[in-house]
Amino acid sequence: MTNDDGIDSPGLAALTRLAVTAGLDVVVAAPATQSSGASASITAVREEGRTVVQRRELPDQPDVPAWAVQAQPGHIVVAALSGWMDPAPDLVLSGINHGANVGRAVLHSGTVGAILTAAVHDVRGLAVSLDVALHPTGERNWDAADDLFPHVLQLLLDSPAGTSLSLNVPDRPRTEHRELRHARLAEFGAVQARVDDIADGGLRLGEIEVGAEPEEGTDGALLAAGHPTLTALRSVTEDESGLVPEWLARSDRVQV
């Protein structure tokens, strides 16, 4: 169990509760601090060559082993699957993220990066995200995935090794959810980066909500309409379009 919002996030507590209720043998290892936008980075804070790790007790799950790791979620997953944990995890759960992970912008998500890293090791993974507005008001519905989680978990467990699923749920009471829908990725994400200020010696990046309406049938459009969405993602693999072989076959190809 990991995330990119940090060990103290309410979303991690919510997903841990769901995993424990489902009967899973849960171990939590999450970034010590906010790591959003980390993608699949494997960077970490090290002291004398060792990644800094601190044992923690989760307030609502004192019996669940938990560690705060001064590293990005991708690093945590690599470590967990490469000898840190014995036995190595059979499943990686990531979230619940504070904000939707939709569109091709999932490339930058640390929440999604964790499960795509697991897929490289042929381990199944599920990322769960809550569609929180960029500037939210009121309380968050951290129980929004409660009804869906057992069914999506079973789908994942029945799937081939290395399967990566991304579940996005509306930030509204479950009684207001429409039916779960399979969704393809929108062209953009829900939020985009923007340079807010440029000055000598640096620049300041900010975030804005995407103004354009997402394409019909995509994760962004369905989520905005009140549907939880489920998308299967593929980790890094070669492009089978034939572009490189065709280029290499040309008589005028570059000689080096």
Side-chain angles (χ1 to χ4, degrees), residues 192-213:
Q192 286 185 303
R194 179 185 65 183
V195 176
D196 287 336
D197 180 63
I198 302 174
D200 291 341
L203 53 84
R204 180 182 294 111
L205 277 177
E207 292 180 324
I208 58 171
E209 291 185 323
V210 175
E213 291 291 327

Side-chain angles (χ1 to χ4, degrees), residues 29-106:
T33 58
Q34 173 68 247
S35 296
S36 293
S39 188
S41 169
I42 56 172
T43 57
V45 175
R46 292 183 172 91
E47 294 180 357
E48 298 181 351
R50 296 174 178 268
T51 301
V52 179
V53 177
Q54 180 185 19
R55 187 67 185 261
R56 294 284 295 272
E57 181 175 299
L58 303 179
D60 297 327
Q61 301 286 347
D63 295 330
V64 172
W67 283 268
V69 188
Q70 300 218 12
Q72 309 291 16
H75 178 101
I76 295 170
V77 171
V78 169
L81 298 176
S82 303
W84 175 24
M85 297 183 182
D86 184 18
D90 300 306
L91 186 70
V92 171
L93 303 180
S94 183
I96 296 173
N97 191 64
H98 188 273
N101 276 302
V102 295
R104 291 186 290 184
V106 297

Side-chain angles (χ1 to χ4, degrees), residues 10-238:
L12 181 68
L15 192 56
T16 301
R17 171 180 55 80
L18 289 175
V20 170
T21 301
L24 298 179
D25 183 9
V26 178
V27 178
V28 172
T33 58
Q34 173 68 247
S35 296
S36 293
S39 188
S41 169
I42 56 172
T43 57
V45 175
R46 292 183 172 91
E47 294 180 357
E48 298 181 351
R50 296 174 178 268
T51 301
V52 179
V53 177
Q54 180 185 19
R55 187 67 185 261
R56 294 284 295 272
E57 181 175 299
L58 303 179
D60 297 327
Q61 301 286 347
D63 295 330
V64 172
W67 283 268
V69 188
Q70 300 218 12
Q72 309 291 16
H75 178 101
I76 295 170
V77 171
V78 169
L81 298 176
S82 303
W84 175 24
M85 297 183 182
D86 184 18
D90 300 306
L91 186 70
V92 171
L93 303 180
S94 183
I96 296 173
N97 191 64
H98 188 273
N101 276 302
V102 295
R104 291 186 290 184
V106 297
L107 169 70
H108 306 296
S109 166
T111 304
V112 173
I115 66 166
L116 295 183
T117 300
V120 172
H121 295 260
D122 287 329
V123 172
R124 299 171 181 85
L126 171 64
V128 184
S129 305
L130 186 68
D131 185 24
V132 179
L134 184 58
H135 302 292
T137 57
E139 297 294 325
R140 306 280 66 76
N141 292 275
W142 290 115
D143 64 348
D146 282 20
D147 296 336
L148 298 169
F149 181 81
H151 307 289
V152 174
L153 175 63
Q154 191 59 56
L155 170 65
L156 182 63
L157 294 174
D158 292 339
S159 299
T163 296
S164 300
L165 298 180
S166 177
L167 173 66
N168 283 280
V169 290
D171 183 19
R172 59 181 73 176
R174 285 174 284 164
T175 55
E176 298 179 13
H177 288 185
R178 301 175 72 178
E179 70 274 13
L180 175 68
R181 294 283 298 274
H182 166 257
R184 68 183 192 276
L185 295 177
E187 184 175 357
F188 299 106
V191 175
Q192 286 185 303
R194 179 185 65 183
V195 176
D196 287 336
D197 180 63
I198 302 174
D200 291 341
L203 53 84
R204 180 182 294 111
L205 277 177
E207 292 180 324
I208 58 171
E209 291 185 323
V210 175
E213 291 291 327
E215 313 92 283
E216 184 177 353
T218 62
D219 50 5
L222 291 168
L223 191 59
H227 293 278
T229 66
L230 189 63
T231 304
L233 302 175
R234 182 177 297 170
S235 192
V236 177
T237 186
E238 65 275 7

